[in-house]
Amino acid sequence: MKNRWRILENKIFVRWLTIVSLGTMVLLLLFFITLFVSSWPAIKANGLGFLWGKTWDPVNNHYGMYPFLVGTLITSFLSLIISAPFSIAAALFLGEYYPKGVIPGIFRNVIDLLAAIPSVVYGFWGLYTVAPIVSKIELAFHLPAPGVGIFTASLVLSIMLVPYSVSLIRQVISMTPVNLKEAAYALGSTRTEVITKVIIPSNISGISAGFLLSLGRALGETMAVTILIGNSPALPHNIFSPSYTMASVIANEFTEAVGEVYTSSLIEIGLLLFVVTTIINLIGRLIIKRAIA
Amino acid sequence: MTPFDIRGTKRRQIKDRIFSGFVWALTFSCLIVVFIILFYLFEKGIGSINWALFTKGPKPVGEFGGGIANAIVGSLIVVVVAAIIAIPLGISVGIYQADNRGKRIAERIAVAVDVLQGIPSIVIGIVIYVWIVKPFGGFSAISGSIALAIMMLPPVIKSTEETLLLIPHTLKEAALGLGASYYHTVRKILIPTGMGGILGGCIIGVARIAGEVAPLLFTAFGNPAMVFSIFKPVDTIPKVIFAYASSPYEDWQRIAWGGSLILVVFIIILNTIIKLFENKWKVQF
């Protein structure tokens, strides 16, 4: 009797493991279906013009997300460009210059602390420290100086990207074959030459994948950007203009949206975010897996 | 250029120095930024840490004082329930992944987990809103917990899988050879042996979700009252920070700084626990 129970118990357990594990794939599929079905009213009502419509005016039922698209792309790429030199330097420092030891270990943990600070706290901190500084720069250029805008959001976002890119790039460059490096040193290369002529070229795909994954992160980053971007649905004039990103417009307007098409249009923006980040992640992981293996 | 070209060599050495200087300088500026942020948080936050912050709820606009007691309780409810949902599911997937390592199905699931980790948290909020908030007619702590549980799954799955892979096959085979069922082998041998690593993954997961607001905006929503039910909307600490961050009232800003400090200290403590015990918890044979 007891034996039979044990066999049954075991069968249930194995079944459970399989179901739950397959569930992760089903979950992703359900995410896509849910977003697609919920944004269908908007897709039907707005058509393809949704992507390049320049006015976002829910009161008059005009839904064009072009300003958010521009805001998202500028903010993400700008933050990626600002963070790139720092990420590469820190990754070289921790992966190539001092891969072992106590002090580099502390450095690594300190940089990891950047990942421990929640997004909303970054936004709050940026509003009180970075925004006033940016406001002064804007005054110097004789621009309107609200302090918040694309540039402020990108600056803070770039800090948030550093720990993520550093850990990805460090992993990639620490996999450089030792004999390649030693061959270069034996030929009389300086360390700089080994880095710029061996390590970076031989890992270029892995490093780009690291930045691609960081970009995916920047695109979906919500809270810090919502606090710092200035929330304006107009097309930005310059990099100091207040703007809106796809994620922050959802964060700000979703609970207040009235009417089916309005809510559904916001969900359509979410669907686009989901599809884009999924594609970026798939490509990025594929390249990194190839680079490391 | 001949090997005796001293000037060329010198130039290359100088270039090397300059490059290294840049690497040092940029790395150090990252560290300095960390300290600037933490210093600012402590400076602003420490003054607002008082008894009322932990024991009182929010006061109406204009009235001085008040605290975030309701948000602390709300955060605890939402995060603990999320962990209760995510940990058993995550460990189960991790066990499956470790057992089927190398098979095509496991690789596909691993890709799905990676993609899941990359989904913007706000999108998870929308989906849970459509699945749970709308059909059940209102914002609730439990819907927030489910959204956070989805975010917590990937780290739990990955660390369970990695830990179990470190356990030698012989241990599992010995248990099975003695007549233990697969279920008993997992429960009595594999999970206890890998406990440290699995626990580490769970802590990483909690640290990841504790400061999240985006998925809670349309799920747990917010509630100025103290609530102990998982079926009602609740405030959470990060939500309060978001709500108060851009407010013109100095007293609200003060409370937001206090909340930020509590949150960051909590997450840093979790991270420190992981770092300190990382090596001790690693399965060693």
Side-chain angles (χ1 to χ4, degrees):
Chain A
M1 211 38 219
K2 211 181 164 201
N3 220 3
R4 265 175 91 184
W5 164 239
R6 277 186 55 193
I7 294 171
L8 185 68
E9 189 184 48
N10 199 37
K11 259 191 187 156
I12 295 172
F13 182 64
V14 173
R15 199 58 59 81
W16 158 260
L17 289 187
T18 320
I19 291 170
V20 174
S21 306
L22 294 177
T24 53
M25 289 196 287
V26 177
L27 190 68
L28 276 184
L29 197 66
L30 284 178
F31 261 64
F32 178 76
I33 294 172
T34 307
L35 289 169
F36 190 78
V37 169
S38 310
S39 50
W40 185 244
I43 297 173
K44 227 170 33 185
N46 304 328
L48 268 178
F50 188 63
L51 283 175
W52 48 82
K54 288 191 179 59
T55 40
W56 179 264
D57 185 7
V59 181
N60 296 315
N61 259 328
H62 278 299
Y63 301 100
M65 62 164 287
Y66 187 70
F68 312 145
L69 201 65
V70 173
T72 308
L73 290 178
I74 298 180
T75 313
S76 311
F77 276 100
L78 194 59
S79 63
L80 203 61
I81 292 168
I82 298 170
S83 74
F86 294 93
S87 311
I88 292 182
L92 284 173
F93 189 93
L94 298 172
E96 175 60 24
Y97 280 59
Y98 304 99
K100 285 184 197 120
V102 179
I103 293 180
I106 294 173
F107 278 20
R108 204 173 68 217
N109 288 333
V110 171
I111 289 181
D112 282 348
L113 275 184
L114 283 177
I117 300 170
S119 173
V120 65
V121 175
Y122 269 112
F124 189 28
W125 170 80
L127 193 62
Y128 284 86
T129 55
V130 182
I133 298 171
V134 173
S135 172
K136 274 184 194 140
I137 299 174
E138 286 168 339
L139 275 179
F141 281 108
H142 301 291
L143 291 162
V148 290
I150 293 177
F151 188 63
T152 315
S154 303
L155 273 181
V156 174
L157 192 51
S158 70
I159 301 174
M160 300 171 68
L161 292 181
V162 164
Y164 193 63
S165 335
V166 168
S167 79
L168 285 168
I169 298 171
R170 186 174 57 85
Q171 253 180 47
V172 171
I173 62 173
S174 63
M175 300 302 263
T176 317
V178 179
N179 50 10
L180 268 186
K181 285 194 283 187
E182 281 174 354
Y185 278 123
L187 289 172
S189 307
T190 60
R191 179 176 249 162
T192 305
E193 286 161 351
V194 174
I195 288 169
T196 53
K197 293 186 177 152
V198 176
I199 295 177
I200 290 182
S202 70
N203 290 310
I204 193 68
S205 60
I207 294 173
S208 347
F211 282 123
L212 190 66
L213 291 174
S214 304
L215 177 69
R217 209 166 229 207
L219 291 174
E221 183 46 60
T222 315
M223 298 324 291
V225 176
T226 306
I227 295 176
L228 296 170
I229 193 113
N231 300 338
S232 149
L235 265 178
H237 304 291
N238 53 46
I239 57 164
F240 291 106
S241 304
S243 177
Y244 237 150
T245 65
M246 291 158 73
S248 58
V249 77
I250 302 173
N252 264 340
E253 297 190 2
F254 194 77
T255 45
E256 287 153 20
V258 273
E260 197 190 17
V261 181
Y262 191 5
T263 311
S264 171
S265 297
L266 290 169
I267 298 179
E268 193 180 347
I269 297 177
L271 173 70
L272 279 172
L273 266 182
F274 174 78
V275 171
V276 171
T277 48
T278 301
I279 293 172
I280 285 182
N281 270 296
L282 286 176
I283 297 173
R285 302 275 158 193
L286 199 74
I287 302 175
I288 284 215
K289 229 158 235 164
R290 267 198 206 148
I292 289 180
Chain B
M1 201 186 286
T2 63
F4 302 103
D5 184 356
I6 302 296
R7 277 184 59 202
T9 311
K10 197 99 208 149
R11 210 170 41 226
R12 286 171 52 217
Q13 282 173 342
I14 291 171
K15 248 192 209 165
D16 186 45
R17 289 274 162 78
I18 294 173
F19 186 84
S20 302
F22 266 111
V23 169
W24 271 86
L26 292 175
T27 308
F28 264 88
S29 46
C30 293
L31 301 179
I32 289 168
V33 167
V34 181
F35 286 114
I36 289 175
I37 295 175
L38 291 181
F39 180 78
Y40 196 83
L41 273 180
F42 271 91
E43 194 200 358
K44 282 275 189 178
I46 207 87
S48 43
I49 302 283
N50 55 29
W51 191 238
L53 193 71
F54 293 97
T55 53
K56 293 220 168 72
K59 287 262 172 76
V61 180
E63 248 178 84
F64 193 76
I68 52 168
N70 62 322
I72 294 174
V73 171
S75 264
L76 280 177
I77 293 174
V78 172
V79 171
V80 167
V81 174
I84 291 172
I85 299 169
I87 290 172
L89 293 174
I91 292 178
S92 302
V93 180
I95 295 169
Y96 184 86
Q97 289 291 81
D99 260 346
N100 293 288
R101 183 91 174 169
K103 284 189 196 156
R104 191 175 240 183
I105 182 76
E107 271 166 25
R108 288 199 179 149
I109 292 170
V111 171
V113 173
D114 275 341
V115 170
L116 199 62
Q117 187 160 27
I119 297 177
S121 50
I122 189 110
V123 174
I124 297 179
I126 295 180
V127 172
I128 300 302
Y129 174 86
V130 175
W131 283 355
I132 295 163
V133 176
K134 224 162 87 184
F136 291 96
F139 302 109
S140 59
I142 183 76
S143 58
S145 298
I146 293 171
L148 292 185
I150 292 175
M151 293 192 66
M152 193 177 159
L153 277 176
V156 177
I157 293 174
K158 280 184 190 162
S159 56
T160 305
E161 182 190 352
E162 278 159 22
T163 308
L164 293 183
L165 285 174
L166 290 174
I167 298 175
H169 258 284
T170 44
L171 205 65
K172 194 169 139 192
E173 279 159 14
L176 292 171
L178 285 171
S181 67
Y182 176 68
Y183 171 65
H184 268 93
T185 313
V186 169
R187 213 187 73 187
K188 298 269 160 87
I189 308 290
L190 295 184
I191 291 183
T193 316
M195 201 56 193
I198 295 172
L199 207 63
C202 299
I203 297 175
I204 294 174
V206 169
R208 187 180 174 209
I209 61 171
E212 273 294 336
V213 207
L216 298 179
L217 289 173
F218 333 129
T219 53
F221 194 61
N223 188 347
M226 177 78 92
V227 173
F228 293 97
S229 161
I230 58 168
F231 299 110
K232 292 212 177 102
V234 292
D235 252 350
T236 53
I237 302 175
K239 171 77 210 311
V240 171
I241 299 171
F242 178 57
Y244 286 2
S246 25
S247 94
Y249 306 107
E250 246 174 58
D251 202 40
W252 280 10
Q253 291 167 14
R254 185 186 60 79
I255 289 172
W257 286 119
S260 302
L261 184 62
I262 295 173
L263 198 58
V264 168
V265 166
F266 174 69
I267 296 174
I268 289 179
I269 289 174
L270 290 184
N271 280 343
T272 316
I273 292 174
I274 299 164
K275 299 266 154 137
L276 286 179
F277 292 94
E278 202 171 31
N279 293 320
K280 239 182 231 173
W281 281 346
K282 227 174 224 160
V283 186
Q284 273 158 355
F285 288 95

